[in-house]
Amino acid sequence: EVSPSPRPARSRSSPTASTIVFPLPVLIRPLAAELPLGAGALVGSLAAVLAVRRMTPLRLSGLAMLAFAVPLWVLPFIPPWPVVFVALFVATFFTPLINGPLIAVLTARTPDELRAMVMTAVISVNTLAAPLGFLAAGQVLERWGVVPLFAVVVAGVTVMAAVYSAIVLRHRDAE
């Protein structure tokens, strides 16, 4: 004789609650990856307010650009995620210290009749560079993997930081 199977326990949560709660880890994971970037930039913005009072804008921007590149050098070694978070936080801490003084000097030194064109060109180049960088990164990632991609990106950032810093630190006396 076959005994009837026990009735399954009734769920206390409603289907609506489980539908809402289930995708939260999927949604939170990408947001958690953005946390060090946003937090570093936010804290850097607060620090920039104090730093611009103590240092000339181009000197601040040049030194911050060098400091931005340094923590990124851990990325090609594929460290544990807490190390990546700290590296990204520290790197993005310096971005407001680069961008604020750079844009201020660019705006202040550009003649009025050229300012709109110069700012449009700067924004256009920046807007075009991001998707082109993603396209190139995708090709490198697909062919050679994440370690070469990180190594190339960090090396490129370091070279650009050195060139930028050399230029602005050499011309800082014109401030």
Side-chain angles (χ1 to χ4, degrees):
E1 180 173 334
V2 177
S3 64
S5 63
R7 199 164 195 200
R10 193 161 166 91
S11 172
R12 292 180 189 222
S13 66
S14 70
T16 306
S18 63
T19 305
I20 293 171
V21 174
F22 175 71
L24 281 181
V26 174
L27 296 173
I28 291 173
R29 218 171 278 149
L31 294 176
E34 298 288 333
L35 181 65
L37 302 175
L42 177 64
V43 175
S45 294
L46 298 174
V49 172
L50 301 173
V52 295
R53 294 182 184 153
R54 298 176 188 253
M55 201 178 294
T56 60
L58 287 180
R59 180 175 170 82
L60 176 62
S61 186
L63 295 175
M65 184 63 136
L66 293 172
F68 170 80
V70 172
L72 298 178
W73 276 100
V74 302
L75 297 179
F77 300 103
I78 313 296
W81 69 266
V83 175
V84 172
F85 270 38
V86 169
L88 293 177
F89 176 89
V90 172
T92 57
F93 171 86
F94 292 104
T95 56
L97 301 170
I98 300 165
N99 293 336
L102 172 65
I103 297 299
V105 169
L106 186 64
T107 303
R109 291 191 184 174
T110 303
D112 291 340
E113 61 275 3
L114 297 176
R115 189 172 298 136
M117 289 188 297
V118 168
M119 296 308 291
T120 301
V122 168
I123 291 169
S124 297
V125 168
N126 189 30
T127 303
L128 288 172
L132 292 176
F134 289 136
L135 181 65
Q139 297 302 311
V140 172
L141 184 62
E142 187 176 312
R143 287 192 174 93
W144 295 292
V146 73
V147 173
L149 172 64
F150 283 167
V152 167
V153 168
V154 173
V157 166
T158 302
V159 168
M160 300 247 187
V163 169
Y164 173 80
S165 297
I167 291 168
V168 298
L169 293 174
R170 184 178 35 173
H171 293 292
R172 68 182 175 167
D173 55 345
E175 290 186 85

